[in-house]
Amino acid sequence: MTKYIIRRLLWNIPVLFLIAATTFGLSRALPGGPFDFAGDRSLPESVRENLKRKYNLDAPIYVQFADYMMDLMRGDLGPSFRYRNQTVNDILKQTFPISFQLGILSLALGLLIGIPAGIIAALNHNQWLDYLSSFVAILGVSIPNIVLGPFLIWIFAVKLGWFPAAQWGVDYTELYFGFIPPMNSDFWSHAALPTITLGTALSASIARLTRASLLQVIREDYIRTARAKGLPERTVIIVHALKNSLIPVVTILGPLFAGVVTGTFVVEQIFGIPGLGRHFVQSVTNRDYPVVMGTALLYSVLLVLANLFVDIAYAWLDPRIRYD
Amino acid sequence: MGRLLEVKNLETRFHTQDGTVHAVNGVSFYVDEGETLGVVGESGSGKSVTMLSVMRLIPQPPGEITNGEVWFEGRDLLKIDKEEMREVRGNRIAMIFQDPMTSLNPVLTIERQITEVLELHLGMNHQQARARAIELLKMVGIPAAEERIDSYPHQFSGGMRQRVMIAMGLACHPRLLIADEPTTALDVTIQAQIVELVKRLRDEIGMSVIWITHDLALLAGLADRIIVMYAGQIVESSPVHELYKNPRHPYTIGLLQSIPRLDEKQRERLQAIEGLPPDLIDYPTGCPFAPRCRFAIEKCWEVDPPLEEVSKGHYSACWVKPEGAEIMHQWHASNTEESQ
């Protein structure tokens, strides 16, 4: 197993290299450059040339890429072209923990609601509980966050006044492990609505998948065997069916995890969360090449790691899957 | 011998989008203590559904047991509540299934799958159950049971898995073992081993066995009595030797003529039963076998024949009740002529 993990990790290096090269090339292939505008004003040609020279942008692209990779080896993701006093490392350090935390909370909420809802729906196949849960799930999948977010703010923040409308920020002097803020009531009051917004959509897709998968598994012969043994229905489902039916759910958890912990532009914008999500979008419009690279690489690393964990989880769920 | 199981007038339906499937239609039979009953029929004849109905393992919906009584140890199993039925399953009546590849849970160890029955029905703690499970595995002939008990099903061969299924079934010393085509998915040599194993264990434990199969030949050395099912009905019921000697239903005669025999000197042409079984959604009014029957008379198309006694303990549901012994004799003779 250890050998397998090491091999997989090594295999991921060329994958990440390819992603880096592609992103590097594509971002630079976009028309326009990072220094076309300063605010609303366009910069004079001579200033732009000077800035380009300063950041080595006038060198051939392969030289730039080689330089970038050398810096990357040292863990230096370079300066931001747009946020003049910040490096990409600074930006990621400040924003990623926030997105990560919100992502983990949403994913936890999604699993907490999604898996039981899927089980309930499957066990009441074609009865009203199934229809209800499927209806809610489809609703959850179909309502975009850009609608659900403001809707929740309108009810719970504006009308009921239970939570602040769009606020994020806790005392960042007392961080656990250097990046987890204390989860006090203050934290929960501003984290609740965005977590629900993100978690609803996640729980809906997890519920649908769990239901479909469990419905398939409970028709298997070994479930009939379990019933023929006289086991209580609860044992049949939890011990004999659930583990088998979780494999598809675990499969989507990898990409879901990588996507959700790196922040979501829409939700972060709506709730005023200073997370990483907006940098994915803004860095591209700003032609802020190092930030584009930084966010893309972070996402890729998380994705390949998450998929590795998924594959390890398979082996735990299904003893027929063995790696060596 | 006391009566262990008595099924009366059992009827099972499946409600599907295409209509109601008449899977089991007024089936009555019994099993005495220590007796082995063979149930024969082709795919879709209702033999498995009948036994799953006895166990109340029919998926509901779409299935529904619409009529009948299942008397076992003084109770009608169709009337007792779910909890009581769970006490019967795996404990008083055990069932083993056709495909040992899919009937064992792939993600649980053999140990877990055997011990859970023991812990549930016999109240053993885990250590006792494990020790007993090892004994059971040895009993069904698994070598190195102490080590292999921690394996997963995929680490066993098909025959070994069926042995595990049997060990699981026999864990609580059931009074009745229902074996639903347990050897169909196995190699012929393994088949014989499994049959021998069940025979031995049946005699050791003193239980009754219902053995479902589509292979009439297999039952010769195993069953005491045989019932033949066709289109969800019992068409013939007889002590085993009587059935082979003098079958009295055209379907049974057809089945016997389609068994290849290695003991005959001359090669015989096997006779297939022409046609297909009836559509169980649009159930025929007359005898369901009439369209395929070479003895059919006009009455067969109009009225479904009841099961009538032809000799002691031998019943046939046929208006004609041809003398199977004669027909078989003539058939063998004509085959012999042809090949000479």
Side-chain angles (χ1 to χ4, degrees), chain B residues 70-94:
Chain B
V70 176
W71 289 93
F72 178 79
E73 297 187 328
R75 290 181 296 178
D76 181 356
L77 297 186
L78 299 183
K79 298 245 160 52
I80 61 178
D81 66 33
K82 278 184 183 167
E83 292 305 302
E84 285 178 272
M85 190 62 214
R86 282 208 300 100
E87 283 299 308
V88 174
R89 277 187 213 136
N91 187 18
R92 311 299 298 163
I93 308 180

Side-chain angles (χ1 to χ4, degrees), chain A residues 228-262:
Chain A
K229 286 178 183 175
L231 297 173
E233 194 58 21
R234 209 162 43 140
T235 313
V236 173
I237 297 304
I238 296 174
V239 177
H240 285 263
L242 199 56
K243 216 173 151 195
N244 283 291
S245 64
L246 281 183
I247 285 184
V249 180
V250 168
T251 308
I252 61 153
L253 280 184
L256 271 187
F257 169 84
V260 86
V261 300
T262 48

Side-chain angles (χ1 to χ4, degrees), chain B residues 34-331:
Chain B
E35 189 186 32
T36 299
L37 177 72
V39 182
V40 180
E42 60 198 287
S43 306
S45 61
K47 49 197 196 304
S48 290
V49 178
T50 302
M51 296 313 153
L52 287 171
S53 302
V54 167
M55 290 289 271
R56 280 173 51 184
L57 285 173
I58 296 290
Q60 287 173 313
E64 190 191 357
I65 298 169
T66 46
N67 195 14
E69 294 166 24
V70 176
W71 289 93
F72 178 79
E73 297 187 328
R75 290 181 296 178
D76 181 356
L77 297 186
L78 299 183
K79 298 245 160 52
I80 61 178
D81 66 33
K82 278 184 183 167
E83 292 305 302
E84 285 178 272
M85 190 62 214
R86 282 208 300 100
E87 283 299 308
V88 174
R89 277 187 213 136
N91 187 18
R92 311 299 298 163
I93 308 180
M95 191 158 180
I96 56 178
F97 297 100
Q98 179 173 15
D99 193 348
M101 302 290 171
T102 58
S103 295
L104 289 169
N105 195 325
V107 307
L108 300 176
T109 58
I110 301 297
E111 186 213 29
R112 175 72 201 248
Q113 298 190 53
I114 299 179
T115 54
E116 67 180 353
V117 206
L118 295 163
E119 288 169 27
L120 177 76
H121 292 302
L122 303 184
M124 290 186 178
N125 65 32
H126 190 72
Q127 267 177 328
Q128 292 169 322
R130 186 182 161 90
R132 175 87 181 109
I134 292 172
E135 273 175 40
L136 284 162
L137 289 179
K138 283 182 181 161
M139 187 177 81
V140 297
I142 304 260
E146 287 90 348
E147 291 134 46
R148 304 222 66 186
I149 188 168
D150 294 312
S151 312
Y152 289 94
H154 70 278
Q155 293 162 315
F156 280 58
S157 68
M160 286 293 163
R161 282 187 228 190
Q162 198 55 281
R163 286 169 193 266
V164 170
M165 280 294 289
I166 292 168
M168 236 163 63
L170 300 186
C172 301
H173 284 193
R175 299 305 305 147
L176 174 64
L177 176 74
I178 301 177
D180 185 357
E181 305 206 36
T183 59
T184 305
L186 304 175
D187 292 344
V188 184
T189 47
I190 310 290
Q191 274 189 19
Q193 290 175 9
I194 296 289
V195 170
E196 284 310 310
L197 175 69
V198 171
K199 268 162 78 173
R200 177 168 66 80
L201 296 172
R202 172 194 66 190
D203 298 339
E204 278 176 21
I205 299 174
M207 63 182 175
S208 305
V209 174
I210 295 178
W211 190 289
I212 305 173
T213 180
H214 57 255
D215 184 357
L216 199 46
L218 185 140
L219 289 174
L222 178 68
D224 298 309
R225 254 180 335 113
I226 292 182
I227 57 181
V228 181
M229 288 194 71
Y230 186 80
Q233 296 188 10
I234 294 177
V235 293
E236 185 157 10
S237 161
S238 164
V240 62
H241 297 297
E242 169 79 8
L243 188 88
Y244 287 104
K245 211 164 61 188
N246 189 18
R248 297 297 300 275
H249 193 282
Y251 179 61
T252 317
I253 296 170
L255 283 181
L256 284 169
Q257 287 179 335
S258 63
I259 300 174
R261 292 181 62 162
L262 296 174
D263 57 340
E264 294 285 320
K265 283 206 182 83
Q266 277 80 25
R267 287 204 204 127
E268 285 175 3
R269 180 165 303 183
L270 289 182
Q271 197 158 339
I273 304 174
E274 299 287 329
L276 291 170
D279 182 2
L280 294 179
I281 290 177
D282 193 13
Y283 202 79
T285 42
C287 171
F289 191 62
R292 301 170 77 181
C293 182
R294 47 192 161 128
F295 303 96
I297 54 174
E298 207 168 311
K299 194 179 183 186
C300 301
W301 295 88
E302 285 150 17
V303 192
D304 197 3
L307 211 53
E308 283 173 343
E309 190 160 29
V310 287
S311 61
K312 193 175 179 308
H314 187 172
Y315 299 81
S316 169
C318 180
W319 294 122
V320 183
K321 299 185 193 69
E323 284 289 339
E326 240 166 74
I327 296 160
M328 300 292 286
H329 183 74
Q330 282 167 11
W331 175 61

Side-chain angles (χ1 to χ4, degrees), chain A:
Chain A
M1 191 66 157
T2 322
K3 252 166 104 184
Y4 170 79
I5 294 171
I6 292 168
R7 201 170 60 218
R8 273 284 296 267
L9 287 173
L10 290 177
W11 259 111
N12 284 332
I13 292 171
V15 172
L16 291 172
F17 178 82
L18 269 176
I19 292 171
T22 317
T23 314
F24 197 88
L26 283 177
S27 60
R28 266 148 237 257
L30 283 171
F35 310 116
D36 295 354
F37 298 97
D40 290 338
R41 294 180 300 118
S42 60
L43 288 174
E45 186 68 32
S46 58
V47 178
R48 271 192 296 192
E49 289 308 316
N50 278 335
L51 280 167
K52 274 191 178 172
R53 201 166 309 125
K54 181 187 169 200
Y55 290 112
N56 205 22
L57 290 179
D58 52 352
I61 188 155
Y62 59 87
V63 176
Q64 291 183 42
F65 183 64
D67 286 349
Y68 181 82
M69 291 312 284
M70 294 307 287
D71 288 345
L72 188 62
M73 295 295 161
R74 291 195 301 270
D76 179 8
L77 290 164
S80 165
F81 293 163
R82 180 59 53 151
Y83 304 93
R84 294 289 154 75
N85 303 320
Q86 288 185 302
T87 63
V88 178
N89 293 49
D90 291 336
I91 291 175
L92 295 185
K93 226 177 277 172
Q94 283 163 19
T95 57
F96 176 59
I98 294 169
S99 293
F100 185 82
Q101 200 169 24
L102 180 61
I104 291 288
L105 286 175
S106 317
L107 204 58
L109 184 72
L111 288 171
L112 229 56
I113 298 175
I115 289 181
I119 295 173
I120 291 170
L123 295 189
N124 296 282
H125 185 40
N126 284 343
Q127 291 165 38
W128 69 270
L129 261 175
D130 181 22
Y131 294 134
L132 179 74
S133 133
S134 300
F135 175 73
V136 174
I138 289 175
L139 212 63
V141 174
S142 331
I143 298 180
N145 289 336
I146 204 162
V147 174
L148 183 62
F151 184 70
L152 289 178
I153 291 179
W154 180 61
I155 295 181
F156 294 102
V158 179
K159 291 282 168 192
L160 296 171
W162 291 356
F163 304 106
Q167 181 197 331
W168 191 274
V170 285
D171 186 4
Y172 276 92
T173 51
E174 270 186 85
L175 299 178
Y176 301 128
F177 302 114
F179 72 98
I180 303 173
M183 302 223 182
N184 52 26
S185 60
D186 211 25
F187 171 81
W188 286 114
S189 80
H190 61 239
L193 290 184
T195 303
I196 293 168
T197 307
L198 272 173
T200 313
L202 290 173
S203 69
S205 38
I206 291 169
R208 282 164 56 82
L209 202 61
T210 308
R211 172 184 177 273
S213 172
L214 190 58
L215 274 180
Q216 205 170 3
V217 169
I218 55 180
R219 294 202 187 95
E220 295 283 346
D221 288 349
Y222 54 80
I223 298 300
R224 190 182 53 191
T225 307
R227 293 206 171 109
K229 286 178 183 175
L231 297 173
E233 194 58 21
R234 209 162 43 140
T235 313
V236 173
I237 297 304
I238 296 174
V239 177
H240 285 263
L242 199 56
K243 216 173 151 195
N244 283 291
S245 64
L246 281 183
I247 285 184
V249 180
V250 168
T251 308
I252 61 153
L253 280 184
L256 271 187
F257 169 84
V260 86
V261 300
T262 48
T264 33
F265 181 67
V266 170
V267 171
E268 290 181 2
Q269 288 293 309
I270 293 170
F271 290 97
I273 300 164
L276 183 61
R278 67 197 160 110
H279 290 292
F280 276 91
V281 180
Q282 285 174 357
S283 64
V284 177
T285 44
N286 289 340
R287 308 287 186 273
D288 195 343
Y289 303 140
V291 179
V292 172
M293 289 298 291
T295 49
L297 282 176
L298 177 69
Y299 179 81
S300 316
V301 167
L302 285 169
L303 187 65
V304 295
L305 285 182
N307 280 332
L308 178 61
F309 274 110
V310 165
D311 287 348
I312 294 169
Y314 283 164
W316 174 74
L317 283 171
D318 189 340
R320 284 169 298 183
I321 300 171
R322 279 287 168 263
Y323 310 110
D324 36 39

